[in-house]
Amino acid sequence: MKPSILSIEKWRIAIVIFVMLIGSLLTDAWLISIALSLFGYIVWMYYKVYQFYTWIINGTSQNNVPDSDGIWDKINYKVLQDKNKSSDRKKRMNALLKRSQSILKGFPYAAIVLNQNNEVDWSNSKSSVLLNIVKNDRGQRINNLIRSPKLYKLLSANEDGSEIEIESPKDSSIQLVLKIIAIGVDSKLLIARDITQRNKTLEMRKSFISNASHELRTPLTVISGYLEMIKEDKNLPKSLSSPIDTSYEQTERMQNIIEDLLTLSRLESTDDIQDISTSINMEKVINHVCQDLNQAVTIEINTDEVIVGVETEIISLCTNLIQNAIFYTPKGTKIIVRWHADGSNKLCLDVQDFGKGIPNKHLAHLTERFYRADKGRSKEQGGTGLGLAIVSHIAQRHNAVLTIDSKVGSGSIFKVCFLVSN
Ligand code: ADP
């Protein structure tokens, strides 16, 4: 068992009391004797405090620990122990810092550590290649070194993991993606990755798909025309009627796929839609889309607010969602198309059906090209697997977000919410 502080000190207190008693017995002035004994004890204590203070001021060196016992020995020991612990921790932190810095040095990306004022604390060598930021720039605000409104927005938003794409300040032919990662409470890591090659490959892929679709369009139109002619021919032998019908259907499917691919290419090739945007009355658009359907849908218009965008694209978005609701639900299933305000800054289009719903595992993939949750039904309905990819693209271009909620057995809601500035 550890001796208590009192038991360590008890001998010293006993000596003081003993001196007091002896003094009182040997002299008549017992009060003075007690006072002198106490004074002696206080002076001794004061001396110990002074020794301790000097030791602390001089850096609590292990070699100069004040010579003491009892409670003072305990205090000195505790101070030394804490000091050793904190210097061990410091050593460990320094080693960790050195290790992290050497990892970041060999990083294939530019890595810059920023403090809470967005000033450069540290940067690796790749930062000078991609962002023109060198050692001498330490302490400078990153916004002054990289002049980009997008970066300014990214830093102000302070959202961990957010990304932007910018041109390199050193060489405008280099395209970079910049990402912010929070480190602790008051620092962040800015990472820049060269995506020039990736963008070139994407461009090549896009233009290949667009060119191939254009090239296939004309021959397919010719084939489809001839097949239609043969199909209508009264002298067509019965045995050929079914193969010709199937060939004609498949040609139509291919034509639909090519049209959808060309639509996607067009959407991808014009990023900025501001110049071609107009004010769109959604009630009109919904009524226009629904009038040509072979099934009745319930229309609920709860706001007369308009959105700004490209009307043909918004018509295509509505058509895709409403036709899917009809295609993927049994005939006669209730379908609601709703246009409403959601909170103060969102206008939403809901296309809700009460069909059999979509299993959860498919939901995140539905907007991928050629992804089909229900392959059989999609092919049977002549689906291209590109409808929701088109919807998602149009939504993005209009600063809108597509969300899909579905429950097996209850139906699905496809919601497109447009952000409106107040
Ligand atoms: P498709 O041309 O196959 O309809 P889409 O991209 O429009 O392609 O849709 C992708 C898949 O999402 C469809 O194949 C279908 O399985 C599923 N899907 C879309 N809308 C609905 C819906 N309202 N109900 C159930 N499944 C749906």
Side-chain angles (χ1 to χ4, degrees):
M1 211 173 78
K2 263 187 169 182
S4 75
I5 290 171
L6 266 182
S7 82
I8 294 165
E9 283 298 291
K10 73 182 174 198
W11 284 109
R12 213 184 316 276
I13 293 164
I15 290 168
V16 173
I17 294 171
F18 180 72
V19 171
M20 273 190 230
L21 285 175
I22 294 291
S24 306
L25 287 175
L26 296 182
T27 64
D28 287 343
W30 58 272
L31 207 62
I32 292 174
S33 157
I34 289 174
L36 277 176
S37 308
L38 283 176
F39 179 70
Y41 185 65
I42 288 167
V43 168
W44 182 83
M45 272 294 196
Y46 182 78
Y47 172 66
K48 282 287 151 197
V49 171
Y50 174 74
Q51 261 190 329
F52 181 68
Y53 170 76
T54 321
W55 180 58
I56 295 268
I57 288 292
N58 293 328
T60 56
S61 151
Q62 187 129 24
N63 303 328
N64 280 331
V65 185
D67 182 26
S68 49
D69 54 11
I71 192 163
W72 285 106
D73 186 39
K74 283 263 158 198
I75 292 172
N76 295 340
Y77 175 73
K78 184 80 184 98
V79 169
L80 264 182
Q81 201 185 27
D82 284 356
K83 186 192 165 189
N84 289 342
K85 261 192 205 159
S86 90
S87 82
D88 278 356
R89 203 176 307 133
K90 221 169 169 179
K91 272 185 204 151
R92 273 206 311 275
M93 292 299 284
N94 275 337
L96 203 71
L97 192 70
K98 275 196 183 130
R99 225 170 56 206
S100 328
Q101 287 187 346
S102 69
I103 292 170
L104 288 175
K105 264 184 197 159
F107 221 41
Y109 310 140
I112 301 163
V113 179
L114 302 174
N115 63 18
Q116 75 260 48
N117 300 322
N118 295 323
E119 291 157 350
V120 177
D121 261 354
W122 183 88
S123 60
N124 66 356
S125 55
K126 198 80 181 162
S127 307
S128 96
V129 181
L130 295 182
L131 293 165
N132 211 13
I133 288 176
V134 290
K135 258 189 184 168
N136 283 352
D137 292 327
R138 288 183 191 173
Q140 296 222 47
R141 283 178 79 94
I142 191 80
N143 281 328
N144 296 339
L145 299 168
I146 306 170
R147 299 229 169 239
S148 154
K150 278 189 189 169
L151 177 64
Y152 182 79
K153 249 189 179 172
L154 180 77
L155 292 166
S156 318
N158 214 3
E159 275 168 19
D160 193 20
S162 321
E163 284 186 357
I164 50 158
E165 281 185 29
I166 61 163
E167 280 173 4
S168 160
K170 191 166 183 179
D171 175 353
S172 59
S173 69
I174 299 176
Q175 283 145 12
L176 302 172
V177 63
L178 265 56
K179 187 174 184 164
I180 293 277
I181 299 167
I183 345 176
V185 245
D186 49 12
S187 300
K188 36 185 131 42
L189 184 65
L190 177 69
I191 291 181
R193 187 160 45 95
D194 185 345
I195 51 159
T196 318
Q197 197 49 46
R198 188 200 76 174
N199 282 0
K200 272 189 191 152
T201 315
L202 274 178
E203 271 317 308
M204 268 165 60
R205 196 197 73 177
K206 278 184 208 163
S207 76
F208 170 76
I209 292 174
S210 167
N211 292 340
S213 308
H214 267 296
E215 293 297 324
L216 287 171
R217 200 188 209 178
T218 317
L220 261 179
T221 315
V222 175
I223 294 170
S224 155
Y226 278 124
L227 283 173
E228 195 175 4
M229 223 170 75
I230 298 169
K231 213 164 84 88
E232 304 299 324
D233 189 348
K234 295 214 168 57
N235 299 324
L236 182 73
K238 256 210 149 89
S239 60
L240 286 182
S241 161
S242 166
I244 292 291
D245 279 353
T246 314
S247 306
Y248 180 70
E249 269 168 31
Q250 292 303 319
T251 322
E252 264 197 325
R253 258 197 76 207
M254 280 167 79
Q255 278 181 313
N256 288 342
I257 292 177
I258 282 171
E259 285 313 316
D260 277 358
L261 282 173
L262 284 171
T263 305
L264 271 171
S265 295
R266 263 196 305 276
L267 291 173
E268 282 171 344
S269 61
T270 45
D271 270 349
D272 200 352
I273 58 165
Q274 256 169 14
D275 295 343
I276 43 175
S277 288
T278 52
S279 178
I280 303 169
N281 178 331
M282 282 302 282
E283 182 174 3
K284 259 192 185 166
V285 168
I286 292 168
N287 282 321
H288 167 74
V289 172
C290 292
Q291 74 189 2
D292 297 328
L293 300 174
N294 53 5
Q295 183 174 327
V297 297
T298 308
I299 300 174
E300 293 177 4
I301 306 290
N302 299 331
T303 175
D304 56 7
E305 287 207 56
V306 295
I307 52 166
V308 175
V310 183
E311 191 164 60
T312 48
E313 292 184 14
I314 298 298
I315 291 176
S316 162
L317 179 146
C318 291
T319 311
N320 270 302
L321 291 179
I322 297 170
Q323 272 181 352
N324 272 354
I326 296 173
F327 282 164
Y328 295 105
T329 55
K331 210 170 168 45
T333 305
K334 185 172 182 179
I335 292 164
I336 304 175
V337 180
R338 200 178 293 114
W339 176 240
H340 61 108
D342 184 0
S344 58
N345 62 344
K346 273 193 232 159
L347 294 170
C348 300
L349 170 78
D350 292 358
V351 178
Q352 180 173 17
D353 69 63
F354 295 86
K356 62 179 180 152
I358 309 162
N360 216 16
K361 63 176 182 185
H362 297 299
L363 294 183
H365 303 285
L366 290 182
T367 54
E368 291 168 13
R369 290 167 192 210
F370 298 114
Y371 190 92
R372 294 168 172 106
D374 184 347
K375 286 198 178 87
R377 189 140 181 103
S378 168
K379 294 215 165 120
E380 188 187 303
Q381 299 288 351
T384 60
L386 294 168
L388 290 178
I390 293 175
V391 169
S392 151
H393 230 88
I394 295 175
Q396 261 176 39
R397 281 158 65 79
H398 286 78
N399 206 10
V401 180
L402 165 71
T403 47
I404 308 169
D405 243 328
S406 190
K407 217 172 173 193
V408 175
S410 309
S412 319
I413 304 184
F414 289 76
K415 191 190 260 280
V416 182
C417 286
F418 298 82
L419 273 180
V420 282
S421 38
N422 292 317

